[in-house]
Amino acid sequence: GINAEYGDIWSIACTIIELLTGSPPYWSLGTSVALFKMVNDPHPPTPQGISPELEDFLTISFQKDFKSRPSASMLGKHPWILLHSGKPKQLEELHNSLRAVSYTHLTLPTI
């Protein structure tokens, strides 16, 4: 459903942080502290030294209210993606093929 798509947006941002740092957000804190911070922080901390475009991409992807998060289609047009893609047509085709995947089997908890 729609909630799964927006949960996927959050997950993509977490994956980007993990790719850049070697660990997912809050990894070193332990489960209880990590859960507390996820609820109380406006968003997970972003890595030092990233570009303003990536900072914006991550920040908007981590919006707590899933209805405020951009869709995959919107993120595909984000300046950080376009800056590094060099091939907007192929990205659009990939996005369209990914939209065909059903997310109905995924259920996300309400935060």
Side-chain angles (χ1 to χ4, degrees), residues 56-75:
D56 182 67
F57 183 94
L58 293 172
T59 302
I60 64 174
S61 297
F62 283 133
Q63 292 294 313
K64 293 257 184 184
D65 177 9
F66 73 90
K67 294 176 187 171
S68 298
R69 284 181 217 148
S71 67
S73 177
M74 293 165 71
L75 281 178

Side-chain angles (χ1 to χ4, degrees), residues 10 14 17 25-26 37-38 41-47 55 58-59 62:
W10 182 283
C14 286
I17 288 177
Y26 304 118
K37 292 197 115 350
M38 282 184 229
D41 289 355
H43 58 77
T46 55
E55 179 83 27
L58 293 172
T59 302
F62 283 133

Side-chain angles (χ1 to χ4, degrees), residues 20-34:
L20 293 172
T21 66
S23 300
Y26 304 118
W27 180 254
S28 64
L29 300 179
T31 305
S32 297
V33 175

Side-chain angles (χ1 to χ4, degrees), residues 11-106:
S11 296
I12 287 169
C14 286
T15 301
I16 291 170
I17 288 177
E18 185 171 357
L19 288 169
L20 293 172
T21 66
S23 300
Y26 304 118
W27 180 254
S28 64
L29 300 179
T31 305
S32 297
V33 175
L35 289 172
F36 178 82
K37 292 197 115 350
M38 282 184 229
V39 170
N40 291 298
D41 289 355
H43 58 77
T46 55
Q48 295 278 333
I50 61 175
S51 69
E53 294 86 5
L54 179 53
E55 179 83 27
D56 182 67
F57 183 94
L58 293 172
T59 302
I60 64 174
S61 297
F62 283 133
Q63 292 294 313
K64 293 257 184 184
D65 177 9
F66 73 90
K67 294 176 187 171
S68 298
R69 284 181 217 148
S71 67
S73 177
M74 293 165 71
L75 281 178
K77 296 174 183 134
H78 188 276
W80 182 69
I81 295 291
L82 296 176
L83 181 67
H84 298 286
S85 70
K87 299 180 181 172
K89 179 73 172 159
Q90 285 83 352
L91 266 182
E92 186 176 332
E93 290 169 3
L94 174 62
H95 169 70
N96 289 337
S97 66
L98 290 175
R99 284 180 40 158
V101 174
S102 171
Y103 293 101
T104 56
H105 65 284
L106 299 174

